[in-house]
Amino acid sequence: IMAGGKNAILNTKEGVEDNYEEGARSMMRLKPTKKDVVIGVSASGMTQFVRGALTCARGAGARIIFVTCDPRTELQSFVDLTIAPAVGPEVIAGSTRLKAGTATKLVLNTLTTSVLIGKTYGNLMVDVRTGSDKLRDRARRMVHIVTGLEIEATDALLKRAHWNVKAAIVMQKTGLPYQKALSRLRKTHDRLRDAIGEDI
């Protein structure tokens, strides 16, 4: 969620970050629970919108991560984890889109990528969707790396697996047909290493 909603992405909306109640309402609409982790982002400290959203999430029992470039923020005691890159003063005073904004994007890229770890096998993103030539080529390379098959055999295997990389690898490693490979993946919560009983 973002202060000012989707429209604020394309059009500047001054002052919306000062609205505590709207932050709380926006979070409430998502119905957070104790199973959730909520990440608040405020490069220069804690805005009221973010404070309202995080207070609502905390009230629902969610875990809280706070990403800021102001390590002096008083919110340290309110959150479970603070990530505060030390970027120092901005080159143009007050322009947090420069160092603070860039550092924040790096942190968020790391967090969102780490959420996908269950979709990897070793360092291979085996949950790839193969909707383009580039992604089909990536699928071929991954199946080749894991199975050792030559490219022509890899293509044939992927076609039998409907271009599902995980299913193709399970089929090759276990000898199972496509539907049974999918069933085994479902039983292991889609974790390839568990489905084939080995790590890369």
Side-chain angles (χ1 to χ4, degrees):
I1 59 175
M2 180 172 165
K6 291 180 183 175
N7 291 336
I9 294 171
L10 299 176
N11 301 300
T12 302
K13 289 192 167 187
E14 299 295 340
V16 289
E17 69 271 13
D18 298 329
N19 193 330
Y20 178 98
E21 289 77 17
E22 186 55 33
R25 277 193 297 273
S26 296
M27 180 57 64
M28 202 174 304
R29 284 193 280 275
L30 294 177
K31 299 180 177 140
T33 71
K34 62 184 179 182
K35 294 182 179 179
D36 293 311
V37 174
V38 175
I39 302 171
V41 180
S42 185
S44 60
M46 177 57 67
T47 65
Q48 288 301 309
F49 181 90
V50 174
R51 184 185 294 269
L54 294 186
T55 300
C56 173
R58 171 63 85 207
R63 294 286 191 170
I64 308 293
I65 297 174
F66 183 46
V67 180
T68 182
C69 290
D70 179 8
R72 301 162 301 161
T73 179
E74 81 282 6
L75 223 79
Q76 301 278 3
S77 59
F78 174 77
V79 302
D80 297 297
L81 174 67
T82 300
I83 302 174
V87 298
E90 293 292 349
V91 177
I92 300 171
S95 188
T96 54
R97 72 177 55 224
L98 297 174
K99 292 199 288 184
T102 301
T104 299
K105 287 174 190 171
L106 291 171
V107 169
L108 294 176
N109 283 345
T110 302
L111 289 171
T112 55
T113 300
S114 66
V115 168
L116 298 173
I117 292 301
K119 297 178 177 289
T120 62
Y121 181 64
N123 70 339
L124 302 174
M125 187 66 79
V126 288
D127 237 350
V128 64
R129 295 181 188 272
T130 53
S132 70
D133 288 342
K134 177 185 85 170
L135 294 173
R136 279 190 289 277
D137 186 54
R138 187 178 299 165
R140 283 185 194 97
R141 282 181 281 135
M142 285 189 285
V143 171
H144 166 72
I145 288 167
V146 177
T147 65
L149 289 174
E150 295 303 324
I151 294 301
E152 284 183 11
T154 298
D155 263 357
L157 175 62
L158 279 164
K159 283 175 187 165
R160 288 198 319 274
H162 303 273
W163 288 90
N164 179 324
V165 171
K166 285 182 173 181
I169 293 169
V170 171
M171 289 164 67
Q172 179 63 24
K173 291 282 191 175
T174 64
L176 292 171
Y178 175 65
Q179 289 298 337
K180 288 191 176 176
L182 290 180
S183 177
R184 181 176 286 206
L185 281 165
R186 276 193 296 274
K187 285 178 187 167
T188 60
H189 305 289
D190 224 23
R191 292 189 184 97
L192 181 58
R193 65 181 53 80
D194 295 338
I196 62 176
E198 64 183 66
D199 212 335
I200 195 165

